[in-house]
Amino acid sequence: MMKRPGTAAAAAILLAISLVLSGCTASRLNPAGDVDPRAVLEDFKGRGMVGHLEALQRIADDNGGNRVAGTKGYEESGRYVEEQLRAAGYTPVRQTFTFRGDGKNRKQVETFNILAETGGSADHTVVVGGHLDSVEDGPGINDNGSGVAAILETAKWMKEKGITPVNRVVFAFWGAEENDLDGSRHYVNELSKAGKEQTAAYLNVDMAASPNGVRSFHDGDGSDFGDAGPKGSDGIEAVFERYFKENSLPAETTPFVDGDSDYDPFLRAGIPGGGLFTGEVKKKTQAQVQAYGGTAGKVLDSCYHKACDTTSNINADLLKDMSGAMAYATASYALAPRG
Ligand code: PHE
Ligand code: ZN
Ligand code: ZN
């Protein structure tokens, strides 16, 4: 006759099972520590982010000066991104949605996100995103052609380096961020409960080349601004911090501001988030001039949401540093060991 396990042993077995199960559903990742941040920055010093900005500028010039979601300028921006992704060996897909237009045009407008995924475990998905649309008043080259360029070059760099993700990466180009974060909100709303639980991290890049800019990344643990992201956001902050530190590049944290960019729908859904930002309407402080150079008392991007947000409105050196940061964080999460 088999001996029945005692209640203490049974409780221990149940605890072990529930720990294993919760470990699976929580889908949190500790980023790999063996990606070399200095080698990544070296790689990005030679990459062609500015070429993407020139292409997006031409598209705006040919289409009334902007790339607003739902317009021909946006459609052509989408085609450009899709061509780039296909040439690199990805299979981009469009996720269509409708949003309510602003101003006089308050009817439903159809537009899309572009998504391109790698192989790897979908149980541990890393979403790397930024918005592809511009405001109506300008071509949106720093806001957010710069982020688009950083993501495209990260995607291409992964293929060229033969980095094979253990954890699936989804590269995302959002539509209608400038309306009300509609594209990223649609993506998060379309995720099932399991899909949300499987999303281990969201990495955002919105403005990565501000002409009088700073290097900043979001305060995931809330230690600087008191507003932490969901558990795991601290790890994302730490990855960016490591990249800048190892490269001896001064950098600072920036708070999550409700409704400010595409991280918002992810954080609201309990998904850990973080990302990069080089600044918009704040004025550069004396301390920031000491760290980064530039002009004190002048706004970080004087062409923010204006017609002058063109290819003349970018800091190409900053764009290299920030694109390398995105690539480093992406690879660190793509290769993160589980458990
Ligand atoms: N989301 C703002 C815009 O597109 C800019 C922004 C980016 C603000 C990142 C905060 C953080 O206009
Ligand atoms: Zn904007
Ligand atoms: Zn933006």
Side-chain angles (χ1 to χ4, degrees), residues 131 143-144 177-178 206-207:
H131 70 90
D143 181 17
N144 183 34
E177 187 271 355
E178 297 290 10
D206 188 356
M207 306 179 73

Side-chain angles (χ1 to χ4, degrees), residues 275-287:
L276 299 170
F277 180 46
T278 55
E280 13 108 306
V281 297
K282 286 206 178 111
K283 286 182 180 158
K284 202 169 222 176
T285 65
Q286 199 53 253

Side-chain angles (χ1 to χ4, degrees), residues 30-113:
N30 293 314
D34 53 0
V35 181
D36 179 354
R38 280 180 284 197
V40 178
L41 176 58
E42 256 338 284
D43 285 348
F44 272 75
K45 284 184 177 159
R47 297 199 68 93
M49 280 72 71
V50 170
H52 302 308
L53 303 184
E54 288 165 350
L56 294 172
Q57 178 73 61
R58 276 194 297 275
I59 289 170
D61 291 345
D62 291 346
N63 292 284
N66 66 54
R67 303 181 300 100
V68 171
T71 68
K72 186 152 165 288
Y74 187 75
E75 170 63 31
E76 287 190 12
S77 300
R79 284 188 196 167
Y80 175 77
V81 166
E82 287 164 337
E83 277 163 24
Q84 290 291 316
L85 290 166
R86 279 195 204 101
Y90 292 93
T91 307
V93 297
R94 286 190 182 194
Q95 180 184 43
T96 58
F97 62 94
T98 58
F99 68 99
R100 203 159 78 118
D102 322 303
K104 295 165 272 174
N105 185 18
R106 294 199 140 263
K107 37 180 207 256
Q108 289 299 116
V109 179
E110 188 176 293
T111 191
F112 56 88
N113 298 322

Side-chain angles (χ1 to χ4, degrees), residues 232-248:
S233 305
D234 52 346
I236 298 172
E237 177 185 351
V239 170
F240 287 122
E241 185 171 29
R242 192 181 315 138
Y243 169 87
F244 291 116
K245 224 175 226 147
E246 292 290 315
N247 279 301
S248 307

Side-chain angles (χ1 to χ4, degrees), residues 106-128:
R106 294 199 140 263
K107 37 180 207 256
Q108 289 299 116
V109 179
E110 188 176 293
T111 191
F112 56 88
N113 298 322
I114 295 172
L115 305 171
E117 62 179 53
T118 67
S121 163
D123 290 348
H124 304 269
T125 295
V126 182
V127 182
V128 178

Side-chain angles (χ1 to χ4, degrees), residues 258-317:
D258 286 358
D260 247 14
S261 190
D262 297 301
Y263 51 76
D264 188 83
F266 287 86
L267 301 182
R268 284 176 194 274
I271 296 165
L276 299 170
F277 180 46
T278 55
E280 13 108 306
V281 297
K282 286 206 178 111
K283 286 182 180 158
K284 202 169 222 176
T285 65
Q286 199 53 253
Q288 287 174 323
V289 171
Q290 243 125 55
Y292 312 105
T295 311
K298 189 178 168 195
V299 295
L300 301 172
D301 179 358
S302 54
C303 287
Y304 175 66
H305 285 186
K306 292 187 184 155
C308 60
D309 184 10
T310 65
T311 47
S312 307
N313 187 50
I314 58 148
N315 180 331
D317 290 330

